[in-house]
Each structure stands twice: as structure tokens, then as C-alpha cells.
């Protein structure tokens, strides 16, 4: 019999908020640090190092998050009150995973195509290419990051709708606390 719980596993809660912070950080560094800095700027290699290492950490934590999500008990699926919307939500959540992995993959591919591991992490001293936009993967990376911002905005709006309009305390499910539901509850 499946264990009934009222919240996600504490490890999943930790990973959720840590990833929220890291992904927001990667977007801020990407849009306001990298895209706004020309490749001849000597500071750029340091910003790239931070962004690329952070992006790889995001991928590693996403894989762990996925495994933990599969192996631990989850609360019953939340309902928005609109059956058609409820059918889309799981697709949206899987889409989120795919989008993040695709963003990391295109960033990683750009790094490989531009020979960045040697320049950024091994200190080869070689200059950066004049621009990264010659690589289609870089162009895709930029578009995917914009779509990701849209997904995050929708995700936050949906969470606030549940919390403050439906008042079903959805945010509490993604926080720490007692998880077990007593067998008599909800009967
Ligand atoms: C979820 C993870 C990531 C997010 C959210 C993210 C986000 C961004 C954003 C917003 C930009 C600027 C896009 C634009 O203005 O068009 C960018 C650029 C870039 N990112 Fe990422 N990125 C991630 C992971 C990675 C990884 C893993 C790598 C490489 C290992 C990487 C390498 C790059 C490179 C090389 C650029 C181009 C910088 C430039 O054109 O000056 N990114 N990223």
C-alpha cells in the first residue's frame, strides 16, 4: 500500500528551493552578466566560469531531484477546480524538466563548440571567440532561456493562485514539517 503524505520529502523540498535559486541565478547572470558583456572584456571569462559551473550543478541536481521524486511518496495531486487545466498540469511539469535539460544541453554544446573548457576552466590563455551567436546552439540557448522565464512565471502565478485565491495551502506541501497522514484523516 502506498504511504499517504501531506508534503513532499524533505530532500525534494531542499532540492526544489535550491534549484529555484540556482536557475534564477543562471538566468540573471546569463541575461544581465553574459549577454551584456562583450567577449573582449577580460571579466567575461570569470562570469562564464560561474555560469557554466552553475549550469552543470543545475543538471546534476535535476537528475537527483528526478530520482528522489520517483522514489519517495508524494501528496495527492492538487486540483485547480478546472478538469481540463488539471490534465495539462502534469505535462507542464514534465515540460519544465525537458526545458531545463535542453537549456543546459545547448549551453554545454556551445561551450564545447567554442572550446570554452580549456579557456574558462584550464586557463589556456586563448582569447574567447568574437561572439558566441555564430553557434546555432547559442541562439537556441537564448530562446530556451526566454521560454524558461515564461514557464517560471506561470509556475509562480499558479502557486499563488492556489495559495491565495483557492486558499488550499499548496505552498506548505513544498516545505518542511510533519508528512504522515493519520489513517483516520480524510475518511
Ligand atoms: C538551466 C541552466 C542555464 C540557464 C538558465 C542559462 C541561461 C542563460 C542565459 C539567460 C543566457 C543569455 C541568453 C541571451 O541573452 O540570449 C546564457 C548564455 C550562455 N550560457 Fe547559459 N544557461 C544555463 C546553463 C548553461 C550551461 C550548462 C552552459 C555551459 C556549460 C552555459 C553556457 C552559456 C554560454 C556560453 C552563453 C553565451 C554567453 C554570451 O553569448 O555572451 N549555460 N545562458
Amino acid at each position: 500500500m502506498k504511504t499517504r503524505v501531506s508534503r513532499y520529502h524533505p530532500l525534494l523540498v531542499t532540492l526544489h528551493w535550491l534549484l529555484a535559486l540556482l536557475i534564477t541565478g543562471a538566468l540573471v547572470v546569463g541575461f544581465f552578466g553574459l549577454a551584456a558583456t562583450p567577449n573582449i572584456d577580460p571579466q567575461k571569462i570569470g562570469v562564464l566560469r560561474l555560469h557554466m559551473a552553475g549550469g552543470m550543478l543545475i543538471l546534476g541536481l535535476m537528475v537527483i531531484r528526478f530520482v528522489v521524486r520517483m522514489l519517495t511518496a508524494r501528496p495527492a495531486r492538487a486540483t485547480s477546480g478546472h478538469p481540463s487545466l488539471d490534465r495539462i498540469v502534469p505535462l507542464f511539469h514534465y515540460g519544465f524538466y525537458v526545458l531545463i535539460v535542453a537549456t543546459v544541453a545547448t549551453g554545454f554544446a556551445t561551450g564545447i563548440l567554442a572550446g570554452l573548457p580549456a579557456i574558462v576552466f584550464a586557463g589556456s590563455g586563448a582569447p574567447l571567440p568574437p561572439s558566441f551567436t555564430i553557434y546555432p546552439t547559442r541562439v537556441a540557448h537564448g530562446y530556451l532561456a526566454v521560454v524558461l522565464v515564461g514557464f517560471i512565471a506561470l509556475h509562480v502565478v499558479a502557486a499563488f493562485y492556489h495559495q491565495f485565491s483557492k486558499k488550499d495551502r499548496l505552498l506548505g506541501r513544498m516545505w518542511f514539517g510533519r508528512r504522515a497522514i493519520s489513517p483516520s484523516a480524510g475518511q
Side-chain angles (χ1 to χ4, degrees):
M1 202 183 80
K2 265 194 164 179
T3 324
R4 291 174 65 221
V5 291
S6 58
R7 300 170 195 271
Y8 289 96
H9 191 279
L11 181 54
L12 201 72
V13 173
T14 308
L15 286 167
H16 178 274
W17 293 111
L18 183 59
L19 278 160
L21 214 68
L22 287 170
I23 292 170
T24 307
L27 287 167
V28 170
V29 171
F31 284 127
F32 301 109
L34 289 176
T37 310
N39 283 12
I40 45 159
D41 188 324
Q43 307 284 333
K44 181 127 183 186
I45 292 179
V47 186
L48 272 168
R49 191 177 303 127
L50 180 74
H51 182 79
M52 291 168 69
M56 298 315 294
L57 179 62
I58 289 170
L59 181 64
L61 294 178
M62 282 297 291
V63 173
I64 298 174
R65 185 190 196 286
F66 191 74
V67 173
V68 174
R69 191 176 188 281
M70 289 301 157
L71 296 181
T72 56
R74 280 171 265 157
R77 189 169 281 171
T79 170
S80 65
H82 306 278
S84 48
L85 209 59
D86 289 349
R87 274 197 290 277
I88 302 171
V89 170
L91 297 178
F92 176 86
H93 285 153
Y94 279 110
F96 226 143
Y97 279 95
V98 172
L99 191 54
I100 293 167
V101 171
T103 308
V104 172
T106 49
F108 187 83
T110 307
I112 299 296
L113 290 171
L116 292 184
I119 305 172
V120 171
F121 294 112
S124 72
L128 291 173
S131 165
F132 295 116
T133 48
I134 54 164
Y135 305 109
T137 49
R138 163 65 182 87
V139 178
H141 191 62
Y143 285 126
L144 286 167
V146 172
V147 178
L148 187 55
V149 171
F151 263 59
I152 292 170
L154 264 177
H155 186 65
V156 172
V157 167
F160 280 15
Y161 164 74
H162 276 276
Q163 186 74 19
F164 300 113
S165 180
K166 282 205 81 200
K167 296 190 181 7
D168 60 4
R169 300 187 182 175
L170 188 84
L171 281 177
R173 293 152 53 111
M174 201 39 102
W175 198 247
F176 306 94
R178 202 182 127 79
R179 295 175 74 213
I181 295 178
S182 62
S184 57
Q187 286 178 9

